[in-house]
Each structure stands twice: as structure tokens, then as C-alpha cells.
């Protein structure tokens, strides 16, 4: 069960053929206090790199992209009720949605934790 | 995710609560600052602030619709209403009371002569659908204003219809699209917009059915001409460029930009929000611009009124002139006439219920006549001089984003705050305690933690010096590491920092009547 | 030059501080060929107050103020008495000369006004929430249609033939450019259109007006339910906001969005602007609304305060994905609206609305008694349509010669159509003598 990261600051964790997706702790620190999230409905088919969800702070709105392709099986309802979980638990309870993976090989192009850390340090 | 650099503190910083802003008075009032409840909390059933004639006794004729039971409005007498709004007004900062260097907004003095003129019954008490024979003076005023705007911009035509800058942008882009359509050119789906543009520009392009393509800036804060050329092609309908731009700089390559845009078969839209820098000195037509809106509530001194109303006339070059929307004034054989219906020509449609923001037209013309050609020359010169003076006096303590000269506003970023723990927002709030309205913060987006200062020509040197001295002292204080001071600011305002996070998480957008005690008891 | 505080000595010392040789030098980034050598030609030089007053006063004198003669014009703009208090308060510099309340700590005055305004609009329209204003009723209407498209993800709007034709035109103009279909029904001076029959699974919304442009008042409760059953929204337009003081409000009829003109409260006729667009919705649609919203919160000391909120919908944050491009709205007109409504209160607004209706009933009876004149409406508020035996435009010109502003010819709104119809509006400002004079003059002109 490894965790992978994108250059757009999403993380994805795979368990069998189900991937859990969220935004990184670094991303939440840049956003400020999150006040609203808009999540995809179950059943929606997402394409890698395309808009999947929206996360808003008071002064910023950002699109969250699907790190891999697949079909949404569940959105995190408790995040909708308490968006501050993006700030307090970005990489754990603050997950956004779960996907039925379409093509596991898409994961290969993503960064591991160390690579992502280095990426953040060098680009920000 | 699409990261963006607009995130900033929106909750109350931990340090803020350390200052006890409530003085311990019994009432919560502080001398001239008086707490004021909502009007809804001052209700007494049956009380009113108007005396009306008795209603004649006739059988009502409402057809199938029933009269409503209750609206739910509170009853107050006139003195209570006067006091309510007077007290509320005292919680506002305003140009009348102090320096308001809000970049991009041109907060200049609002002459009271303009107000007096707009209230002449011959202008204010005229119905838009009166017979044209009874409104010849109103049409003459619109015609005069049109003449001034065309002369000042060198353009062929003008529409007065749009209600504000953003509405003018929409009008201009609609005209551009109409012109392409008239040529049978339907392949143009994109509008190019610099990264530094005001949010209304991309929003307008999208509202007119275009996709938006951002053009990067060069290191000196201007449009990257080569990048622009690379993006121009048969799919580009137009370029929307602000000039002077939102960094307060004149686009030096403007002529080359216009040529490149025209060579690609596209049109050049100029966002004229910053026209105050050049009015009476430079005619946009001479820069190759095809269409531009003018914010009468910026350049021509009509008041902002706490968020409007504005007025956004748009000037057009010959090539776009045929498409201007209805209504417009023409010179008929019996005096002035109005063309009111789009079916009567190539006009692209209609923007607004009636003829435009007449009240603003009167004010703007009153301002133009007061200044005249010589006064406008002096005014734009002073606006630019004031901004450059502020920039020169702050350069050694703050970090100017680009080299000068600037035009009517000067842009700083937050590099000078690096490592201090103090943010642009904190600086702004500390300025409030010093008695100044903050500059525009975090706009434009092309620099980090932007502080955009637009003094306008209606400030005296003494007023600029006071502001600069305060800002210099605050910059020094920030560098000395006094973060707590900044986080607790403002201390002296009717309200201290407000919790915007809480407001957005659980929006309360209206007053709701309290649940009656009996209902609570019954639960 | 009375608006410019810098002295020549100031300018010199400032140029020295900048290390510039002249003000012209500061304009060196402007291409030389585009720089004028001196004040622009073709315009006069500066004038004193007295001269400006004389010049503009002479233009104003060429107009016939509606209040100087018996006046019966409506069609989307209404002459009401505005209490003196309103204009006094809106001219307080702290309201007049402030910007949009971006810095809430020094804008609590404007913000509390907006919060109260939003509440008043929600109460009047019978809706859950209202925004802080739009430009005018027509642009509110167009924005409402675009919002319905976002909410339903459908792209067709059905516009009733009772919708003010200028509102229709603003909406169809926007529709054409943004790329959705707006089906405008033919004018319906006596009603009888079957809107529901046109609603299909592509329809985002149906737009009706109440009272409609011909003055008819209608109950849209069944239409609202039927639209919603088909997944479409009902948008109700109101051009005479005072009618909300008397009629069942759109919210009670089940409207999803109300787009209205608020000029009737607090705002002068101003030859058509500035006015104030009202925009109210059901709670569940708040995040799709255009325009600014003010919300309640607390400050660092725990005291109640107000801020602009849900801004991520707006252009300054969302840019090309914003719900609207609106920035400057109608702040001061909203303040005037709010003060007037506060002065009226529950008792005043009811009485004023009843007064308008009763006078309109009296006027309709007086006009119906003129030979050849027929009143078309069964139900109306303060405006109705009459059928004349002669073209209305010519009749209105004749009346103007007799110094009576006798309504709006329908053909001015619908060129070449319905030339015998005249819209007549009556408000509290019309005296019995005005009404008698109008009826008498009309008899004369028609004789
Ligand atoms: C650069 C720029 N463009 C456009 C606008 C929009 O103008 P308005 O607020 O009149 O719609 C503004 C004003 O805020 C602006 O500063």
C-alpha cells in the first residue's frame, strides 16, 4: 500500500484496485483555511489529469485533478460537512474520494514520498 | 491541483486576541463610536417613518392574486432611521475623511458640484420613456459627454449604455465577436489576457463564449511580445490588455502589440480602468487600440458609493463602430433622437433596461467641464507625479516590484517582509490604525503579496508625506521583529479583524427573526 | 484648478525627490508619437462652479421634469415620493465616497447596510437569500437565466411574452454570446400563453414577470410546481418592487430565482439610471449566485461584525470560471433603497402599496369612461394597459403638448406592433386633479 504524489500536489494511496485521493499537506498549507469542498458523485468516470474536485479557502479556489483514471466509488461526505479536515488531516481523514482504478500502470509515472518532498523543496 | 498564490490568512491570528479592544464601558460604546443594532432589532409594530394619505376606498382589482399577509419589515420612526444610518456611516472610511490609496480603483476627490448638478430636476426627475420632445436637454447632455469621450480617446464612436467597467468589457467583447461574425469568421474562439489582468477580463471573455489564454509577463512587468506573437493566430478573436497595466506601468511595446494583433486579424481591447494616468495627454486611438471602456467612477470622479453605481462607456474605432448596442443618441431633423431598438441596424443587442447611468453622465460631464483640457492635462500629470513620488520615498525600505517610472500607481511586493513573519495583510491592517485606508493588497497576482498604491492627483504633498512616513515606520517595525504588534492590528477600529473563515464555512447572509419564546418552550 | 492641491513649488521639490527633470519625463515609456505636446485640442479650458452650473442648468432646463406635470409613466421605472431623509443620508461622505468594503474593519457601515439590504430584499421577495445588488432589473434577469443554466446544466430558457421587452433583449443578447438558447414568446397583451407546453428536458428555466409588462398580475404557483417537476427553474421578474408590499411574493409562489428592479424605493427616475437590480434565490442555490454577498461573523474581540463572503464565486478569485463578471454593482442605490424601506416599515409599505393600487383603480375607471377607451386588465397593481381608438404614440405627443405625460405607448417598446395600446402607471404622486386632467385631456385628444 504505497502512497504516490503528483506535481499538482495530490496524493493517491492504492489498496487492491481502489485508490484513495486527497491533496497534500503542503498544498493545504498554501491554501489557507479551507472553507468548502466540492466532490465528484459516485459513479463519475474520471480521467487522469482532469478536474475532479474543487477546494476553496476564503480567497482562493483550486481544482483538484484526478491523479489516475477511474470511476468514483465514494466521496468523503465528512469532508463536505467539515472542510477544515483538509487543513487538520490532509493526508489521512481529509481524503477527497475513492476511485476504482482503470489502469494501475498510470501509478508508475507518479512520485514517491521522497521524490515529492524534494520536488516541493526545489520548486517553492 | 491548480495551486494558486492567493491563499492568505482569513481567520483571526492567535496574537490578535491579546489586545483588549473592548474598553470596559457599560454600553460597549467608545465615545463617538456608538454600537448600532440591526434595524430589525429596533422594531416596534405599527411604528413608521412616513405619513401617507389615507387609501381611497375602492374595491381592489388584484385579479387572481391574493394580497400578502406580512412582509416582516421592522417599524421605526424617522429620527431612529436618521440615527441608525448616521451611526453606521461613522464606521466607514471614505475619501472625504482621509487618504484612500487603493490601487486600480482611482479613489480621487468626488466634487460636490457634480452631486448638485445630477440632482437638478431636469436630469434626476426625467422618466426614460418620456416623449423625446420632452427630454432634449438630457439627450444633449449625453451627446456632449459622448463628444468629450471621443475627443479624449480619439475614437470614432461611443456607447454610454454599460453600467460599470466590467459591463463595458462585455460590451466591447460582444462588438468584437459581432465584427468577426459579420465577416463570416467563426473560427476565432480565444481571447488572450495577460496574467496580470483584473479578474473581470477573463470572466468577461468567458461570459461572451470565449476561452481564455493567459500571456506571461516579462521581468520588467510588461506583456511578453514574443510570447504574445506566438499565441496569435486564426483562432484568436482579440487581446484584452490594460494600459497603463495593473502593475502601474505603461506598455512600452503597445504599438508593436497592436500591429501584431491586427496582423493576426484580431482586435485590440483595452481595459481603460487606468485611463486616469494618461487622460488628456495620450489618445488611446493613437496607440492602435480598437475598443476601450472607461470607468466614469474612476477617471471622471463619480463617487464609488461603497460599491457602485458606476458607469462604463465604451469607445470604438471605425471598424467596430457599426455594432454598438442600443440605445444611442443621434442628431435628427427635429433635434436629438434616440435609436432604441436593435432591429434597426447592425447593433449587437442591448445591455441594460434603459439608456445608461444618466446620473453618472451628469456628474462626469460636470467634472470634465470643471477641469477642461488644461485641467485634465494637469490632473493626469499630478496623478503620475504623486505615484512616482510615493515610490521614490518608499523604495529604500520596501521592495518595488519593477523599475520606474511608474504611471499613476506604484507596485511593491512582500520581499521586504521576508523572514519577518509579517504579511502584506498585516501591513495593511497596521496602516488602518495609523488612519489610512490600505493600498490594494494581493493584486495583481503576478507578484507575491502585492501592495499597489494609487494616490491620485487630489492628494496634497503633505498628505503623501504623512502616509509615506507612517509606512516607512511600519516597515522598520516589521523588520525589527515586532510580529505581535502587526497581528493584533487593527486595534482602534469599530471592529477588529473579522473571522472570514467562519463567515464562509457557515454563511449567515440575512437576519432571521428570533424564534418566539413560546415556540422554544414547546420544543 | 480647485481639485488639485499640488503647488508649483510642491511639484518642483517632488521632481527633485524622484530625480526626474519634468513631469513629461515621467511619461517617457509612452511612444513619443502618441504623446500630446500640450492640453488636448477641441475642448474648452477649465471652468468655475458658476459657469458649469450655468451650462448644465441650461441643458436641464430643456427637459420637462416628470414632477412638473401630471405624469403617468411606468414600464419599468416609477416615480415615487422619496423622503428627504433618504437623499440626506446617502450624501453622507462616509457612504458616498467609500469604495467596495474590501477592508471590513473600516467598512462596517457599508457592510451592515448590505446585510440589512439583503434581508429586506429576501423578505420582500419571499426568498431565502438575496445578494448585495446587480446593475438593474434587466441585467438581474439575464444573470438569473445564466445561473439557471449552471444549476440545471441545461441550455434553454423560455421567456414569457409578458416579460419587459428590454429585459428580454438584454437576456437574449447575453444568451447569444455565451451560447444558450432563449426562446422569447410573442408579446401577450392579454395573456393566455401556454409556457409549460414549451418546457422539455433541455429547458433550464422559464422566465415570467409579475405584474407583467402590460400590468397583469398572475399567480404562478402552479407554473412553479410544473417547471420544477420537469427539472426546470422558475424565474420571476418584478419591475415594480412596490408591488411586493401588496401581492403574494414570488417566493410564496415557489419561484427559484427572483430578478427585480428596486428603483421604486429610494431612487429617482434619473432618465433610466442608475437603478438597483435585486437578486434573490432559494438557499440551496447560493453558491451559484452572481454578485457580492455580505455575511455575519465575529471579530477578534468576539463582537458581531460583517464581511463580504463566498467570494470564490466571483471574478477576482475565480476569473474565467466566475459565476459572473460583475464587480462594481449598485451600492449607493441599494443604500437608498434600504433607507426608504426602513422609513416605510411594515405599516408604511403596506399602506403605500394599497394607495398605489387604489389610485390606479380610480384612474382605470376614469379612463374607461372616456369614449373609445378600453382597459385591458382584469387584475393589476399600479399599471394597466388601455386600448385607444388612435395610435398611442401620436396621442402621447398630443398630451405632451398639453403638458401631460400620459403613459408609454406600447409601440415604443415593440416597434410597429400594438400601436393602439398605451401603458398607464399611477403612483401616490398623482393627485386627483392630475388624474382628472389626464382623463379630460385624453377625451379632448381622442375627440
Ligand atoms: C483594471 C480593472 N479592470 C476592470 C475593473 C472593473 O470595473 P468595474 O468595477 O467598474 O466593473 C476594475 C475595477 O475594479 C479594474 O481595476
Amino acid at each position: 500500500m504505497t502512497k504516490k504524489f503528483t506535481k499538482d500536489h495530490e496524493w493517491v494511496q492504492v489498496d487492491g484496485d481502489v485508490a484513495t485521493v486527497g491533496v497534500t499537506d503542503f498544498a493545504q498549507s498554501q491554501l489557507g483555511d479551507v472553507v468548502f469542498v466540492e466532490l465528484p458523485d459516485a459513479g463519475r468516470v474520471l480521467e487522469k489529469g482532469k478536474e475532479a474536485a474543487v477546494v476553496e479557502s476564503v480567497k482562493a479556489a483550486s481544482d483538484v485533478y484526478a491523479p489516475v483514471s477511474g470511476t468514483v466509488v465514494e466521496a468523503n461526505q465528512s469532508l463536505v460537512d467539515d472542510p477544515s479536515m483538509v487543513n487538520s488531516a490532509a493526508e489521512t481523514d481529509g481524503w477527497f474520494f475513492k476511485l476504482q482504478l482503470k489502469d494501475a500502470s498510470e501509478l508508475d509515472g507518479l512520485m514517491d514520498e521522497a521524490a515529492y518532498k524534494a520536488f516541493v523543496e526545489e520548486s517553492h | 491541483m491548480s495551486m494558486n498564490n492567493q491563499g492568505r490568512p482569513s481567520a483571526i491570528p492567535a496574537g490578535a486576541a491579546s489586545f483588549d479592544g473592548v474598553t470596559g464601558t457599560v454600553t460597549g460604546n467608545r465615545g463617538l463610536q456608538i454600537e448600532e443594532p440591526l434595524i430589525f432589532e429596533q422594531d416596534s409594530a405599527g411604528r413608521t417613518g412616513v405619513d401617507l394619505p389615507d387609501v381611497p376606498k375602492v374595491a381592489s382589482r388584484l385579479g387572481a392574486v391574493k394580497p400578502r399577509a406580512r412582509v416582516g419589515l421592522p417599524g421605526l420612526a424617522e429620527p431612529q432611521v436618521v440615527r441608525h444610518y448616521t451611526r453606521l456611516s461613522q464606521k466607514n472610511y471614505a475619501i472625504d475623511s482621509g487618504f484612500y490609496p487603493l490601487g486600480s480603483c482611482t479613489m480621487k476627490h468626488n466634487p460636490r458640484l457634480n452631486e448638485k448638478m445630477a440632482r437638478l430636476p431636469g436630469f434626476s426627475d426625467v422618466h426614460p420613456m418620456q416623449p423625446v420632445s420632452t427630454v432634449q436637454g438630457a439627450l444633449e447632455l449625453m451627446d456632449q459627454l459622448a463628444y468629450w469621450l471621443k475627443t479624449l480617446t480619439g475614437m470614432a464612436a461611443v456607447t454610454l449604455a454599460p453600467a460599470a467597467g466590467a459591463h463595458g468589457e462585455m460590451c466591447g467583447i460582444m462588438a468584437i465577436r459581432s465584427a468577426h461574425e459579420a465577416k463570416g469568421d467563426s473560427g476565432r474562439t480565444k481571447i488572450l489576457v495577460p496574467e496580470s489582468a483584473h479578474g473581470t477580463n477573463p470572466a468577461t471573455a468567458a461570459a461572451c463564449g470565449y476561452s481564455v489564454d493567459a500571456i506571461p509577463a516579462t521581468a520588467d512587468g510588461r506583456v511578453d511580445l514574443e510570447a504574445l506573437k506566438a499565441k496569435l493566430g486564426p483562432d484568436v478573436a482579440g487581446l484584452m490588455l490594460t494600459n497603463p497595466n495593473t502593475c502601474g506601468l505603461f506598455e512600452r511595446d503597445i504599438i508593436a502589440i497592436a500591429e501584431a494583433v491586427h496582423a493576426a486579424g484580431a482586435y485590440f481591447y483595452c481595459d481603460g480602468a487606468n485611463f486616469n494616468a494618461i487622460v488628456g495627454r495620450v489618445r488611446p486611438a493613437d496607440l492602435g487600440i480598437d475598443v476601450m471602456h472607461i470607468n466614469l467612477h474612476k477617471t471622471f470622479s463619480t463617487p464609488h458609493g461603497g460599491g457602485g453605481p458606476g458607469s462604463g462607456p465604451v469607445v470604438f474605432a471605425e471598424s467596430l463602430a457599426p455594432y454598438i448596442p442600443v440605445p444611442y443618441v443621434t442628431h435628427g431633423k427635429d433635434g436629438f433622437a434616440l435609436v432604441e431598438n436593435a432591429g434597426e441596424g447592425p447593433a449587437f443587442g442591448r445591455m441594460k433596461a434603459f439608456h445608461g447611468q444618466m446620473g453618472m453622465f451628469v456628474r462626469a460631464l460636470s467634472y470634465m467641464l470643471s477641469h477642461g483640457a488644461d485641467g485634465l492635462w494637469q490632473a493626469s500629470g499630478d496623478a503620475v507625479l504623486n505615484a512616482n513620488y510615493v515610490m521614490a520615498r518608499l523604495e529604500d525600505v520596501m521592495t518595488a516590484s519593477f523599475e520606474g517610472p511608474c504611471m499613476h500607481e506604484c507596485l511593491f511586493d512582500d520581499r521586504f517582509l521576508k523572514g519577518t513573519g509579517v504579511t502584506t495583510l498585516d501591513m495593511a491592517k497596521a496602516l488602518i490604525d495609523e488612519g489610512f485606508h490600505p493600498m490594494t493588497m494581493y493584486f495583481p497576482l503576478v507578484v507575491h503579496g502585492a501592495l499597489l498604491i494609487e494616490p491620485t492627483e487630489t492628494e496634497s504633498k503633505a498628505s503623501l508625506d504623512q502616509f509615506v512616513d507612517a509606512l516607512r515606520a511600519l516597515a522598520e517595525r516589521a523588520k525589527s521583529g515586532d510580529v505581535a504588534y502587526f497581528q493584533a492590528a487593527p486595534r482602534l477600529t469599530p471592529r477588529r479583524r473579522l473571522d472570514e473563515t467562519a463567515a464562509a464555512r457557515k454563511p449567515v447572509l440575512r437576519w432571521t427573526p428570533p424564534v418566539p419564546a413560546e415556540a422554544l418552550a414547546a420544543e | 484648478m480647485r481639485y488639485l492641491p499640488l503647488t508649483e513649488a510642491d511639484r518642483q521639490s517632488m521632481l527633485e525627490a524622484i530625480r526626474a527633470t519634468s513631469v513629461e519625463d515621467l511619461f517617457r515609456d509612452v511612444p513619443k508619437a502618441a504623446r500630446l505636446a500640450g492640453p488636448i485640442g477641441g475642448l474648452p479650458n477649465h471652468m468655475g462652479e458658476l459657469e458649469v452650473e450655468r451650462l448644465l442648468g441650461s441643458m436641464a432646463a430643456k427637459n420637462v421634469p416628470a414632477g412638473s406635470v401630471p405624469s403617468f409613466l411606468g414600464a419599468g421605472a416609477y416615480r415615487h415620493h422619496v423622503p428627504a431623509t433618504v437623499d440626506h443620508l446617502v450624501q453622507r461622505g462616509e457612504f458616498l465616497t467609500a469604495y467596495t468594503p474590501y477592508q471590513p474593519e473600516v467598512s462596517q457601515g457599508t457592510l451592515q447596510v448590505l446585510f440589512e439590504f439583503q434581508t429586506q430584499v429576501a423578505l420582500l421577495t419571499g426568498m431565502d437569500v438575496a445578494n448585495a445588488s446587480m446593475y438593474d432589473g434587466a441585467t438581474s434577469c439575464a444573470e438569473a437565466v445564466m445561473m439557471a443554466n449552471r444549476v440545471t446544466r441545461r441550455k434553454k430558457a423560455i421567456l414569457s411574452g409578458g416579460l419587459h421587452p428590454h429585459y428580454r433583449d438584454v437576456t437574449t443578447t447575453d444568451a447569444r454570446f455565451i451560447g444558450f438558447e432563449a426562446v422569447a414568446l410573442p408579446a401577450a397583451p392579454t395573456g393566455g400563453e401556454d409556457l409549460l407546453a414549451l418546457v422539455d428536458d433541455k429547458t433550464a428555466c422559464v422566465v415570467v414577470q409579475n405584474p407583467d409588462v402590460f400590468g397583469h398580475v398572475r399567480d404562478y404557483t402552479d407554473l412553479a410546481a410544473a417547471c420544477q417537476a420537469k427539472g426546470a427553474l422558475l424565474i420571476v421578474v418584478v419591475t415594480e418592487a412596490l408591488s411586493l408590499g401588496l401581492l403574494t411574493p414570488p417566493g410564496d409562489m415557489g419561484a427559484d430565482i427572483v430578478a427585480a428592479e428596486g428603483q421604486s424605493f429610494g431612487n429617482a427616475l434619473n432618465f433610466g439610471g442608475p437603478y438597483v437590480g435585486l437578486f434573490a434565490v432559494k438557499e440551496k442555490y447560493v453558491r451559484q449566485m452572481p454578485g457580492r454577498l455580505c455575511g455575519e461573523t465575529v471579530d477578534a474581540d468576539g463582537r458581531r461584525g460583517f464581511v463580504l463572503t463566498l467570494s470564490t464565486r466571483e471574478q477576482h478569485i475565480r476569473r474565467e470560471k466566475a459565476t459572473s463578471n460583475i464587480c462594481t454593482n449598485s451600492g449607493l442605490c441599494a443604500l437608498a433603497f434600504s433607507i426608504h424601506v426602513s422609513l416605510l416599515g411594515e405599516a408604511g409599505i403596506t399602506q403605500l402599496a394599497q394607495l398605489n393600487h387604489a389610485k390606479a383603480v380610480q384612474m382605470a375607471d376614469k379612463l374607461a369612461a372616456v369614449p373609445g377607451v378600453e382597459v385591458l386588465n382584469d387584475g393589476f397593481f399600479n399599471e394597466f394597459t388601455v386600448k385607444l381608438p388612435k395610435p398611442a404614440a401620436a396621442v402621447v405627443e398630443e398630451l405632451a403638448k398639453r403638458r401631460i405625460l400620459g403613459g408609454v405607448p406600447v409601440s415604443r417598446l415593440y416597434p410597429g406592433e400594438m400601436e393602439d395600446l398605451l401603458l398607464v402607471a399611477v403612483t401616490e404622486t398623482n393627485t386627483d386633479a392630475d388624474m382628472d386632467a389626464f382623463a379630460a385631456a385624453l377625451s379632448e385628444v381622442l375627440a
Side-chain angles (χ1 to χ4, degrees), chain B residues 101-361:
Chain B
L102 201 58
S104 208
C105 301
T106 313
M107 294 298 281
K108 60 168 74 176
H109 170 63
N110 300 151
R112 287 316 191 277
L113 173 64
N114 303 355
E115 296 304 309
K116 184 176 177 188
M117 294 300 96
R119 284 169 173 78
L120 293 172
F123 296 131
S124 65
D125 194 20
V126 180
H127 191 284
M129 294 278 112
Q130 276 182 221
V132 166
S133 59
T134 68
V135 294
Q136 285 295 305
L139 299 180
E140 182 183 343
L141 184 128
M142 290 170 71
D143 188 63
Q144 271 292 310
L145 179 68
Y147 171 77
W148 275 79
L149 293 175
K150 285 189 289 185
T151 306
L152 288 169
T153 56
M155 303 291 251
V158 61
T159 173
L160 301 180
H167 208 212
E169 291 171 29
M170 220 159 133
C171 177
I173 299 299
M174 286 176 173
I176 287 176
R177 183 146 165 192
S178 303
H180 287 308
E181 282 172 2
K183 288 185 247 171
D185 187 348
S186 58
R188 298 183 184 268
T189 55
K190 263 198 244 171
I191 295 276
L192 304 183
V193 181
E195 283 171 343
S196 59
H198 193 259
T200 51
N201 292 187
T204 296
C208 294
Y210 285 114
S211 65
V212 176
D213 203 350
I215 333 170
T218 56
D220 68 350
R222 286 153 172 107
V223 165
D224 184 333
L225 182 60
E226 292 315 311
L228 169 69
K229 283 183 178 164
K231 291 202 182 225
L232 281 167
D235 57 343
V236 174
L239 165 72
M240 282 184 102
L241 179 66
T242 310
N243 191 36
N245 70 23
T246 58
C247 302
L249 303 170
F250 196 91
E251 293 283 351
R252 284 189 213 107
D253 292 333
I254 185 127
I255 306 273
I257 290 172
E259 281 169 4
V261 169
H262 292 149
Y267 290 97
F268 183 0
Y269 184 94
C270 180
D271 178 332
N274 294 339
F275 191 42
N276 198 49
I278 56 171
V279 60
R281 285 177 177 260
V282 180
R283 300 185 312 164
D286 297 336
L287 304 170
I289 288 161
D290 299 311
V291 45
M292 178 177 105
H293 81 257
I294 296 162
N295 308 60
L296 296 186
H297 46 300
K298 298 185 178 186
T299 309
F300 297 108
S301 83
T302 77
H304 279 93
S311 178
V314 181
V315 289
F316 299 87
E318 208 72 69
S319 56
L320 293 172
Y323 307 103
I324 70 167
V326 292
Y328 50 85
V329 179
T330 58
H331 297 238
K333 59 179 187 328
D334 307 318
F336 296 102
L338 257 178
V339 176
E340 287 183 287
N341 291 288
E344 296 166 32
F348 71 67
R350 174 179 275 277
M351 304 288 304
K352 206 171 172 297
F354 297 110
H355 322 310
Q357 308 280 64
M358 179 68 175
M360 303 296 121
F361 304 160

